[in-house]
Amino acid sequence: MSPRKSQRRQQILEALAQMLEANPGNRITTAGLARQVGVSEAALYRHFPSKSKMFEGLIEFIEDTLFSRISLILSEEPGAARRCEKMLSLLLAFTERNPGITRILTGDALAGETERLHTRVAQLFDRYETQLRQVIREAELREGLRPTIPLSQATNLLMAAAEGRISQFVRSGFTRSPTEGWNEQWTLLMAGFFRETVTRAVTEQTGTFAGRG
């Protein structure tokens, strides 16, 4: 792809994100998007074969941004609780900085669009939850900790807390910050979230090496 064509594609996606933010609750049309960009509808379709592909371009941006940052978090943070905190704080901060795109994550902007887009967003959240589940599962091996409720339920609890804040952000017309008060809520979520495994508790009490019989 030529630099000029790539730049135009980026301009179209940025205009779409701006329109999603400026017109919450409204459906975006290609005619309106073309006016925003300053080109004809035909010119839009030279870069994207359909509006669905434009939405897919924004979803790919979300995925690339979030999961590349998650890789850094996993390399920088050894503790499970801290990893989970940073992963969910990342998600909330991203939505706060990109309110228009957040309408895609909640499905608000995808009303009437192809089912494939809804599936892509669901897969994104499933992937995020899977990553969290892996972090929590590894805490038993790395730190001798496991959640006090079943693993899948514990992971879902954290995701539900974050997704609820994101939904409130969109529903409020972007006036209710998804990050405000999150640190205090996170402290409460983590209180009693993990418990020591039996092996670790016995080891600490006896001073023996966990690997010995």
Side-chain angles (χ1 to χ4, degrees):
M1 184 184 300
S2 68
R4 183 171 182 176
K5 187 172 183 180
S6 177
Q7 184 178 14
R8 178 65 77 182
R9 283 173 60 91
Q10 181 68 21
Q11 184 183 7
I12 292 170
L13 293 179
E14 289 176 356
L16 176 56
Q18 291 168 3
M19 291 182 70
L20 288 170
E21 179 179 352
N23 302 284
N26 293 339
R27 193 162 183 263
I28 304 300
T29 65
T30 53
L33 180 58
R35 285 194 300 272
Q36 179 79 5
V37 179
V39 298
S40 66
E41 287 188 69
L44 286 183
Y45 289 121
R46 282 198 292 271
H47 297 279
F48 294 94
S50 66
K51 188 170 63 170
S52 292
K53 288 297 183 181
M54 299 176 201
F55 279 116
E56 284 189 20
L58 289 179
I59 294 172
E60 288 171 4
F61 166 74
I62 298 169
E63 291 173 334
D64 291 345
T65 302
L66 292 178
F67 291 106
S68 62
R69 181 55 190 156
I70 285 176
S71 295
L72 291 176
I73 291 171
L74 297 180
S75 66
E76 295 169 354
E77 295 291 345
R82 185 64 173 157
R83 283 179 167 185
C84 291
E85 178 185 7
K86 283 203 165 187
M87 287 170 63
L88 292 175
S89 294
L90 166 68
L91 179 60
L92 295 177
F94 176 85
T95 59
E96 187 166 36
R97 288 194 300 267
N98 301 278
I101 293 177
T102 301
R103 289 185 57 204
I104 296 176
L105 291 177
T106 62
D108 173 67
L110 302 181
E113 302 297 338
T114 176
E115 185 62 28
R116 185 177 69 253
L117 294 174
H118 293 272
T119 300
R120 281 288 301 271
V121 171
Q123 290 172 340
L124 186 156
F125 277 108
D126 286 345
R127 182 181 173 190
Y128 219 97
E129 188 164 341
T130 297
Q131 190 76 72
L132 273 175
R133 186 182 302 113
Q134 183 64 26
V135 168
I136 297 170
R137 180 186 290 114
E138 290 178 357
E140 184 168 354
L141 298 174
R142 293 170 173 266
E143 304 168 70
L145 300 172
R146 65 174 54 163
T148 56
I149 59 177
L151 176 62
S152 60
Q153 295 178 22
T155 309
N156 181 256
L157 171 65
L158 300 186
M159 284 299 298
E163 289 188 55
R165 282 180 151 263
I166 294 169
S167 294
Q168 290 176 341
F169 179 50
V170 173
R171 193 167 59 245
S172 70
F174 311 130
T175 61
R176 188 169 185 173
S177 167
T179 60
E180 185 178 355
W182 171 246
N183 289 338
E184 292 78 9
Q185 291 185 354
W186 179 256
T187 299
L188 184 61
L189 279 171
M190 283 293 101
F193 184 87
F194 285 110
R195 62 180 174 84
E196 293 182 349
T197 61
V198 174
T199 301
R200 172 175 170 174
V202 171
T203 300
E204 290 181 348
Q205 290 174 8
T206 63
T208 59
F209 177 59
R212 295 175 182 170

